[in-house]
Amino acid sequence: MPEIPDLNIFCTNLAERLVGKKLKDIRILIDRRLKLPEADFKTALEAHKLVAINRVGKQLYFEFANKHVLSLQLMLYGSMHWYEGKNDNKFTIAELQFSDGIGLAITDWQKAVILSLDPEVSKVPDALHLPVGYLVKALKGKNKPIKTVLQEGKVVQGIGNAYVDEILYAANLSPFSIAAKIPEKKIGVLTKAIEEVLVEAEAHIRKNFPDTITEKERDFLKVHLPKHKVTPKGEPIIVAEIASRKTYYTEGQELFE
């Protein structure tokens, strides 16, 4: 699943080619997850200029001059691909054709991608823009594992399965720790780790895959490494499940319960 580091880079690269162009045509080939008919998307978006592409949590917002917004959530296997002329990409969910002939295909073999028109913006703060001291208050009374709390999107927006494991590893905090039991000082360490892990990951991807609009390898991660048995430090990686999510961590991560 593309997460904050990937999506920030996608925004940059999509904007470079698409902002300032008019959307000539939008075709939605798989509509099972639409809340509105395709015709509403066409009426709202076609023939209007794209003025910005931004990330909101795990969604990409395509913002048009007439104030309408197309939201794209790629989910687990969604992907984007450039094309010109005919789109030959398999498992296409939607096609966006712009005025200069460039096309953007959105694909997903699982058909789980979500397209929305003018979505309601969540008030939950983004992981990269947490107010000072926010998590200290937000975690009070939360009696779920910290991994679940960080990932479910009700306290923090934008953190997915891979990077929550990386953040907790960086903070030396067990994913099984009960959120409300974590001491304030440790929450400070966690808050710092959230920003550092996400910023460093984005820098790595941007350096190695500067033009990408699709998710790339994550072999640079330190603990969420399905093909590895140990971290770069040689610590054995433990694999477990939390709320049906495969979780990667080490024995040394501090547990609060």
mmCIF file of all heavy atoms in Angstrom, residues 34-68:
data_model
loop_
_atom_site.group_PDB
_atom_site.id
_atom_site.type_symbol
_atom_site.label_atom_id
_atom_site.label_comp_id
_atom_site.label_asym_id
_atom_site.label_seq_id
_atom_site.Cartn_x
_atom_site.Cartn_y
_atom_site.Cartn_z
ATOM 1 N N LEU A 34 -18.006 3.215 -6.150
ATOM 2 C CA LEU A 34 -18.447 4.599 -6.287
ATOM 3 C C LEU A 34 -19.690 4.850 -5.448
ATOM 4 O O LEU A 34 -20.596 4.019 -5.386
ATOM 5 C CB LEU A 34 -18.769 4.922 -7.743
ATOM 6 C CG LEU A 34 -17.634 4.929 -8.765
ATOM 7 C CD1 LEU A 34 -18.168 5.399 -10.107
ATOM 8 C CD2 LEU A 34 -16.484 5.802 -8.305
ATOM 9 N N LYS A 35 -19.736 6.017 -4.823
ATOM 10 C CA LYS A 35 -20.936 6.422 -4.090
ATOM 11 C C LYS A 35 -21.853 7.273 -4.965
ATOM 12 O O LYS A 35 -23.005 7.526 -4.605
ATOM 13 C CB LYS A 35 -20.544 7.186 -2.827
ATOM 14 C CG LYS A 35 -19.835 6.328 -1.799
ATOM 15 C CD LYS A 35 -19.528 7.116 -0.530
ATOM 16 C CE LYS A 35 -18.852 6.222 0.507
ATOM 17 N NZ LYS A 35 -18.539 6.967 1.764
ATOM 18 N N LEU A 36 -21.305 7.738 -6.103
ATOM 19 C CA LEU A 36 -22.068 8.543 -7.054
ATOM 20 C C LEU A 36 -21.916 7.928 -8.442
ATOM 21 O O LEU A 36 -20.917 7.266 -8.723
ATOM 22 C CB LEU A 36 -21.543 9.987 -7.077
ATOM 23 C CG LEU A 36 -21.658 10.795 -5.789
ATOM 24 C CD1 LEU A 36 -20.884 12.112 -5.931
ATOM 25 C CD2 LEU A 36 -23.122 11.087 -5.465
ATOM 26 N N PRO A 37 -22.865 8.162 -9.335
ATOM 27 C CA PRO A 37 -22.736 7.629 -10.689
ATOM 28 C C PRO A 37 -21.608 8.315 -11.457
ATOM 29 O O PRO A 37 -21.236 9.451 -11.166
ATOM 30 C CB PRO A 37 -24.098 7.911 -11.320
ATOM 31 C CG PRO A 37 -24.690 9.002 -10.503
ATOM 32 C CD PRO A 37 -24.168 8.824 -9.118
ATOM 33 N N GLU A 38 -21.074 7.596 -12.448
ATOM 34 C CA GLU A 38 -19.992 8.150 -13.268
ATOM 35 C C GLU A 38 -20.385 9.492 -13.875
ATOM 36 O O GLU A 38 -19.551 10.397 -14.009
ATOM 37 C CB GLU A 38 -19.633 7.166 -14.375
ATOM 38 C CG GLU A 38 -18.511 7.650 -15.275
ATOM 39 C CD GLU A 38 -18.291 6.742 -16.472
ATOM 40 O OE1 GLU A 38 -19.296 6.177 -16.975
ATOM 41 O OE2 GLU A 38 -17.131 6.602 -16.896
ATOM 42 N N ALA A 39 -21.636 9.647 -14.235
ATOM 43 C CA ALA A 39 -22.097 10.888 -14.862
ATOM 44 C C ALA A 39 -21.835 12.108 -13.985
ATOM 45 O O ALA A 39 -21.550 13.208 -14.493
ATOM 46 C CB ALA A 39 -23.586 10.783 -15.194
ATOM 47 N N ASP A 40 -21.931 11.950 -12.668
ATOM 48 C CA ASP A 40 -21.678 13.070 -11.755
ATOM 49 C C ASP A 40 -20.205 13.485 -11.806
ATOM 50 O O ASP A 40 -19.884 14.674 -11.735
ATOM 51 C CB ASP A 40 -22.061 12.685 -10.331
ATOM 52 C CG ASP A 40 -23.564 12.625 -10.126
ATOM 53 O OD1 ASP A 40 -24.299 12.712 -11.125
ATOM 54 O OD2 ASP A 40 -24.009 12.472 -8.974
ATOM 55 N N PHE A 41 -19.305 12.514 -11.918
ATOM 56 C CA PHE A 41 -17.882 12.816 -12.046
ATOM 57 C C PHE A 41 -17.620 13.569 -13.351
ATOM 58 O O PHE A 41 -16.871 14.550 -13.378
ATOM 59 C CB PHE A 41 -17.055 11.529 -12.016
ATOM 60 C CG PHE A 41 -16.967 10.871 -10.667
ATOM 61 C CD1 PHE A 41 -18.014 10.111 -10.162
ATOM 62 C CD2 PHE A 41 -15.818 11.010 -9.898
ATOM 63 C CE1 PHE A 41 -17.920 9.496 -8.923
ATOM 64 C CE2 PHE A 41 -15.711 10.394 -8.646
ATOM 65 C CZ PHE A 41 -16.770 9.637 -8.164
ATOM 66 N N LYS A 42 -18.237 13.116 -14.430
ATOM 67 C CA LYS A 42 -18.049 13.756 -15.724
ATOM 68 C C LYS A 42 -18.551 15.200 -15.712
ATOM 69 O O LYS A 42 -17.877 16.128 -16.182
ATOM 70 C CB LYS A 42 -18.765 12.955 -16.818
ATOM 71 C CG LYS A 42 -18.064 11.647 -17.187
ATOM 72 C CD LYS A 42 -18.796 10.940 -18.310
ATOM 73 C CE LYS A 42 -17.957 9.826 -18.910
ATOM 74 N NZ LYS A 42 -16.780 10.346 -19.646
ATOM 75 N N THR A 43 -19.733 15.410 -15.174
ATOM 76 C CA THR A 43 -20.318 16.748 -15.130
ATOM 77 C C THR A 43 -19.460 17.695 -14.304
ATOM 78 O O THR A 43 -19.249 18.859 -14.669
ATOM 79 C CB THR A 43 -21.738 16.687 -14.542
ATOM 80 O OG1 THR A 43 -22.555 15.862 -15.376
ATOM 81 C CG2 THR A 43 -22.351 18.070 -14.445
ATOM 82 N N ALA A 44 -18.947 17.217 -13.187
ATOM 83 C CA ALA A 44 -18.195 18.075 -12.271
ATOM 84 C C ALA A 44 -16.780 18.369 -12.760
ATOM 85 O O ALA A 44 -16.257 19.470 -12.504
ATOM 86 C CB ALA A 44 -18.135 17.429 -10.891
ATOM 87 N N LEU A 45 -16.157 17.427 -13.473
ATOM 88 C CA LEU A 45 -14.717 17.529 -13.711
ATOM 89 C C LEU A 45 -14.298 17.776 -15.156
ATOM 90 O O LEU A 45 -13.300 18.458 -15.394
ATOM 91 C CB LEU A 45 -14.024 16.251 -13.214
ATOM 92 C CG LEU A 45 -14.284 15.862 -11.749
ATOM 93 C CD1 LEU A 45 -13.614 14.533 -11.442
ATOM 94 C CD2 LEU A 45 -13.813 16.950 -10.799
ATOM 95 N N GLU A 46 -15.014 17.227 -16.100
ATOM 96 C CA GLU A 46 -14.578 17.334 -17.490
ATOM 97 C C GLU A 46 -14.620 18.775 -17.996
ATOM 98 O O GLU A 46 -15.523 19.546 -17.658
ATOM 99 C CB GLU A 46 -15.430 16.437 -18.389
ATOM 100 C CG GLU A 46 -15.122 14.959 -18.205
ATOM 101 C CD GLU A 46 -15.915 14.049 -19.120
ATOM 102 O OE1 GLU A 46 -16.816 14.544 -19.834
ATOM 103 O OE2 GLU A 46 -15.640 12.836 -19.104
ATOM 104 N N ALA A 47 -13.598 19.139 -18.780
ATOM 105 C CA ALA A 47 -13.438 20.472 -19.379
ATOM 106 C C ALA A 47 -12.975 21.518 -18.372
ATOM 107 O O ALA A 47 -12.927 22.698 -18.682
ATOM 108 C CB ALA A 47 -14.727 20.943 -20.063
ATOM 109 N N HIS A 48 -12.582 21.065 -17.176
ATOM 110 C CA HIS A 48 -12.093 22.008 -16.161
ATOM 111 C C HIS A 48 -10.600 21.799 -15.923
ATOM 112 O O HIS A 48 -10.073 20.698 -16.040
ATOM 113 C CB HIS A 48 -12.879 21.843 -14.860
ATOM 114 C CG HIS A 48 -14.308 22.259 -14.992
ATOM 115 N ND1 HIS A 48 -14.699 23.586 -15.022
ATOM 116 C CD2 HIS A 48 -15.438 21.523 -15.132
ATOM 117 C CE1 HIS A 48 -16.020 23.652 -15.161
ATOM 118 N NE2 HIS A 48 -16.489 22.414 -15.224
ATOM 119 N N LYS A 49 -9.934 22.895 -15.581
ATOM 120 C CA LYS A 49 -8.483 22.888 -15.392
ATOM 121 C C LYS A 49 -8.117 22.318 -14.028
ATOM 122 O O LYS A 49 -8.721 22.660 -13.007
ATOM 123 C CB LYS A 49 -7.924 24.302 -15.528
ATOM 124 C CG LYS A 49 -6.401 24.386 -15.430
ATOM 125 C CD LYS A 49 -5.908 25.826 -15.484
ATOM 126 C CE LYS A 49 -6.157 26.439 -16.835
ATOM 127 N NZ LYS A 49 -5.563 27.809 -16.914
ATOM 128 N N LEU A 50 -7.098 21.459 -14.024
ATOM 129 C CA LEU A 50 -6.545 20.934 -12.778
ATOM 130 C C LEU A 50 -5.584 21.971 -12.208
ATOM 131 O O LEU A 50 -4.643 22.398 -12.887
ATOM 132 C CB LEU A 50 -5.817 19.625 -13.053
ATOM 133 C CG LEU A 50 -5.229 18.887 -11.850
ATOM 134 C CD1 LEU A 50 -6.323 18.351 -10.945
ATOM 135 C CD2 LEU A 50 -4.329 17.741 -12.310
ATOM 136 N N VAL A 51 -5.803 22.385 -10.974
ATOM 137 C CA VAL A 51 -4.987 23.462 -10.401
ATOM 138 C C VAL A 51 -4.030 22.988 -9.311
ATOM 139 O O VAL A 51 -3.065 23.689 -8.978
ATOM 140 C CB VAL A 51 -5.875 24.602 -9.852
ATOM 141 C CG1 VAL A 51 -6.656 25.253 -10.976
ATOM 142 C CG2 VAL A 51 -6.833 24.097 -8.768
ATOM 143 N N ALA A 52 -4.255 21.799 -8.742
ATOM 144 C CA ALA A 52 -3.352 21.308 -7.695
ATOM 145 C C ALA A 52 -3.594 19.825 -7.454
ATOM 146 O O ALA A 52 -4.679 19.302 -7.716
ATOM 147 C CB ALA A 52 -3.560 22.077 -6.393
ATOM 148 N N ILE A 53 -2.554 19.164 -6.960
ATOM 149 C CA ILE A 53 -2.674 17.779 -6.490
ATOM 150 C C ILE A 53 -2.038 17.729 -5.113
ATOM 151 O O ILE A 53 -0.861 18.058 -4.953
ATOM 152 C CB ILE A 53 -1.987 16.780 -7.433
ATOM 153 C CG1 ILE A 53 -2.575 16.877 -8.840
ATOM 154 C CG2 ILE A 53 -2.140 15.352 -6.901
ATOM 155 C CD1 ILE A 53 -1.871 16.016 -9.860
ATOM 156 N N ASN A 54 -2.799 17.344 -4.128
ATOM 157 C CA ASN A 54 -2.316 17.311 -2.751
ATOM 158 C C ASN A 54 -2.620 15.971 -2.110
ATOM 159 O O ASN A 54 -3.513 15.237 -2.550
ATOM 160 C CB ASN A 54 -2.973 18.430 -1.937
ATOM 161 C CG ASN A 54 -2.511 19.807 -2.368
ATOM 162 O OD1 ASN A 54 -1.321 20.099 -2.372
ATOM 163 N ND2 ASN A 54 -3.446 20.657 -2.769
ATOM 164 N N ARG A 55 -1.870 15.680 -1.070
ATOM 165 C CA ARG A 55 -2.123 14.475 -0.273
ATOM 166 C C ARG A 55 -2.897 14.844 0.970
ATOM 167 O O ARG A 55 -2.548 15.784 1.672
ATOM 168 C CB ARG A 55 -0.809 13.805 0.137
ATOM 169 C CG ARG A 55 -1.027 12.561 1.017
ATOM 170 C CD ARG A 55 0.281 12.024 1.567
ATOM 171 N NE ARG A 55 0.953 12.979 2.413
ATOM 172 C CZ ARG A 55 0.628 13.215 3.697
ATOM 173 N NH1 ARG A 55 -0.376 12.580 4.261
ATOM 174 N NH2 ARG A 55 1.305 14.098 4.396
ATOM 175 N N VAL A 56 -3.940 14.087 1.270
ATOM 176 C CA VAL A 56 -4.688 14.227 2.517
ATOM 177 C C VAL A 56 -4.757 12.834 3.137
ATOM 178 O O VAL A 56 -5.468 11.959 2.639
ATOM 179 C CB VAL A 56 -6.100 14.796 2.289
ATOM 180 C CG1 VAL A 56 -6.859 14.867 3.616
ATOM 181 C CG2 VAL A 56 -6.019 16.172 1.646
ATOM 182 N N GLY A 57 -3.968 12.610 4.186
ATOM 183 C CA GLY A 57 -3.878 11.270 4.749
ATOM 184 C C GLY A 57 -3.328 10.307 3.716
ATOM 185 O O GLY A 57 -2.249 10.520 3.166
ATOM 186 N N LYS A 58 -4.086 9.258 3.399
ATOM 187 C CA LYS A 58 -3.671 8.288 2.388
ATOM 188 C C LYS A 58 -4.346 8.531 1.040
ATOM 189 O O LYS A 58 -4.311 7.684 0.157
ATOM 190 C CB LYS A 58 -3.988 6.875 2.863
ATOM 191 C CG LYS A 58 -3.235 6.437 4.111
ATOM 192 C CD LYS A 58 -3.640 5.033 4.501
ATOM 193 C CE LYS A 58 -3.034 4.624 5.827
ATOM 194 N NZ LYS A 58 -3.494 3.293 6.268
ATOM 195 N N GLN A 59 -4.967 9.686 0.884
ATOM 196 C CA GLN A 59 -5.662 10.001 -0.359
ATOM 197 C C GLN A 59 -4.912 11.061 -1.154
ATOM 198 O O GLN A 59 -4.220 11.908 -0.599
ATOM 199 C CB GLN A 59 -7.071 10.521 -0.056
ATOM 200 C CG GLN A 59 -7.946 9.551 0.717
ATOM 201 C CD GLN A 59 -9.270 10.165 1.090
ATOM 202 O OE1 GLN A 59 -10.110 10.439 0.244
ATOM 203 N NE2 GLN A 59 -9.462 10.404 2.382
ATOM 204 N N LEU A 60 -5.080 11.007 -2.475
ATOM 205 C CA LEU A 60 -4.607 12.068 -3.354
ATOM 206 C C LEU A 60 -5.818 12.897 -3.759
ATOM 207 O O LEU A 60 -6.836 12.347 -4.205
ATOM 208 C CB LEU A 60 -3.924 11.490 -4.586
ATOM 209 C CG LEU A 60 -2.634 10.701 -4.349
ATOM 210 C CD1 LEU A 60 -2.115 10.154 -5.677
ATOM 211 C CD2 LEU A 60 -1.577 11.562 -3.677
ATOM 212 N N TYR A 61 -5.707 14.207 -3.619
ATOM 213 C CA TYR A 61 -6.776 15.119 -4.002
ATOM 214 C C TYR A 61 -6.389 15.833 -5.296
ATOM 215 O O TYR A 61 -5.415 16.585 -5.334
ATOM 216 C CB TYR A 61 -7.015 16.160 -2.913
ATOM 217 C CG TYR A 61 -7.910 15.722 -1.776
ATOM 218 C CD1 TYR A 61 -8.131 14.385 -1.493
ATOM 219 C CD2 TYR A 61 -8.538 16.660 -0.959
ATOM 220 C CE1 TYR A 61 -8.941 13.988 -0.441
ATOM 221 C CE2 TYR A 61 -9.354 16.284 0.093
ATOM 222 C CZ TYR A 61 -9.551 14.940 0.350
ATOM 223 O OH TYR A 61 -10.357 14.552 1.392
ATOM 224 N N PHE A 62 -7.150 15.597 -6.363
ATOM 225 C CA PHE A 62 -6.997 16.314 -7.623
ATOM 226 C C PHE A 62 -7.976 17.501 -7.572
ATOM 227 O O PHE A 62 -9.196 17.296 -7.631
ATOM 228 C CB PHE A 62 -7.322 15.405 -8.802
ATOM 229 C CG PHE A 62 -6.349 14.264 -8.997
ATOM 230 C CD1 PHE A 62 -6.344 13.167 -8.134
ATOM 231 C CD2 PHE A 62 -5.440 14.282 -10.047
ATOM 232 C CE1 PHE A 62 -5.455 12.117 -8.322
ATOM 233 C CE2 PHE A 62 -4.550 13.226 -10.238
ATOM 234 C CZ PHE A 62 -4.554 12.149 -9.378
ATOM 235 N N GLU A 63 -7.432 18.699 -7.456
ATOM 236 C CA GLU A 63 -8.254 19.886 -7.228
ATOM 237 C C GLU A 63 -8.392 20.686 -8.523
ATOM 238 O O GLU A 63 -7.404 21.026 -9.165
ATOM 239 C CB GLU A 63 -7.635 20.735 -6.122
ATOM 240 C CG GLU A 63 -7.490 19.962 -4.814
ATOM 241 C CD GLU A 63 -6.784 20.737 -3.717
ATOM 242 O OE1 GLU A 63 -6.595 21.960 -3.882
ATOM 243 O OE2 GLU A 63 -6.410 20.115 -2.703
ATOM 244 N N PHE A 64 -9.636 20.988 -8.879
ATOM 245 C CA PHE A 64 -9.936 21.653 -10.141
ATOM 246 C C PHE A 64 -10.325 23.117 -9.929
ATOM 247 O O PHE A 64 -10.717 23.521 -8.834
ATOM 248 C CB PHE A 64 -11.035 20.895 -10.884
ATOM 249 C CG PHE A 64 -10.569 19.553 -11.405
ATOM 250 C CD1 PHE A 64 -10.525 18.439 -10.576
ATOM 251 C CD2 PHE A 64 -10.146 19.427 -12.718
ATOM 252 C CE1 PHE A 64 -10.080 17.208 -11.051
ATOM 253 C CE2 PHE A 64 -9.685 18.205 -13.203
ATOM 254 C CZ PHE A 64 -9.659 17.095 -12.369
ATOM 255 N N ALA A 65 -10.218 23.885 -11.003
ATOM 256 C CA ALA A 65 -10.448 25.330 -10.929
ATOM 257 C C ALA A 65 -11.870 25.679 -10.513
ATOM 258 O O ALA A 65 -12.109 26.758 -9.957
ATOM 259 C CB ALA A 65 -10.120 25.981 -12.271
ATOM 260 N N ASN A 66 -12.817 24.776 -10.780
ATOM 261 C CA ASN A 66 -14.211 25.041 -10.404
ATOM 262 C C ASN A 66 -14.531 24.596 -8.977
ATOM 263 O O ASN A 66 -15.690 24.493 -8.597
ATOM 264 C CB ASN A 66 -15.161 24.368 -11.387
ATOM 265 C CG ASN A 66 -15.024 22.846 -11.390
ATOM 266 O OD1 ASN A 66 -14.095 22.284 -10.799
ATOM 267 N ND2 ASN A 66 -15.959 22.173 -12.053
ATOM 268 N N LYS A 67 -13.467 24.308 -8.207
ATOM 269 C CA LYS A 67 -13.571 23.957 -6.777
ATOM 270 C C LYS A 67 -13.996 22.517 -6.510
ATOM 271 O O LYS A 67 -14.135 22.115 -5.344
ATOM 272 C CB LYS A 67 -14.516 24.919 -6.014
ATOM 273 C CG LYS A 67 -14.178 26.378 -6.162
ATOM 274 C CD LYS A 67 -12.760 26.684 -5.700
ATOM 275 C CE LYS A 67 -12.448 28.166 -5.820
ATOM 276 N NZ LYS A 67 -11.048 28.483 -5.458
ATOM 277 N N HIS A 68 -14.203 21.737 -7.557
ATOM 278 C CA HIS A 68 -14.494 20.318 -7.335
ATOM 279 C C HIS A 68 -13.188 19.561 -7.101
ATOM 280 O O HIS A 68 -12.121 19.958 -7.584
ATOM 281 C CB HIS A 68 -15.231 19.720 -8.530
ATOM 282 C CG HIS A 68 -16.677 20.086 -8.583
ATOM 283 N ND1 HIS A 68 -17.580 19.674 -7.623
ATOM 284 C CD2 HIS A 68 -17.385 20.827 -9.477
ATOM 285 C CE1 HIS A 68 -18.783 20.139 -7.919
ATOM 286 N NE2 HIS A 68 -18.696 20.839 -9.037
#
